[in-house]
Amino acid sequence: MINQEITPGFITVEFLGIPKLKAGVPFCKAPAGSLSSIINNLKIRFPKLSQEFLPSPSGKSHVLYSLNGDYFLHDPETILLEGQQLLIISADAGG
């Protein structure tokens, strides 16, 4: 995980594997909030990611979402707080 300074009101999003290639950056900042609102923000900012990897957290997705690298998120209404990290990982990573 990337150790970044906390930006007030924001989380750090880290892209791993194919999402990193599609995003063109290893990480970015996004406004804290629900997983679905963060994904909607990323869809706008990273259109290539949107088309292939971020259909919606409640729909079929080719990525997994991990909070701080500790556990995977499945509920689109999960709230991510300022300073937390969201990892976006290829669903086929490691296998």
Side-chain angles (χ1 to χ4, degrees):
M1 286 187 5
I2 295 176
N3 186 7
Q4 297 291 320
E5 290 184 27
I6 294 174
T7 302
F10 286 82
I11 65 161
T12 299
V13 178
E14 184 174 357
F15 303 104
L16 299 171
I18 294 172
K20 180 179 173 181
L21 294 174
K22 293 288 183 177
V25 295
F27 68 92
C28 71
K29 297 287 185 176
S34 69
L35 178 60
S36 62
S37 70
I38 293 165
I39 290 169
N40 285 335
N41 176 280
L42 295 174
K43 284 180 178 181
I44 293 166
R45 294 169 57 193
F46 301 100
K48 287 183 183 179
L49 216 69
S50 174
Q51 294 169 2
E52 298 185 39
F53 294 98
L54 299 173
S56 87
S58 59
K60 187 175 180 181
S61 180
H62 297 171
V63 297
L64 300 171
Y65 306 98
S66 175
L67 179 60
N68 298 325
D70 295 329
Y71 56 89
F72 291 105
L73 302 175
H74 303 285
D75 182 357
E77 297 309 311
T78 300
I79 301 296
L80 282 79
L81 304 174
E82 172 183 307
Q84 290 185 315
Q85 293 181 317
L86 175 66
L87 282 69
I88 299 181
I89 307 162
S90 297
D92 62 351

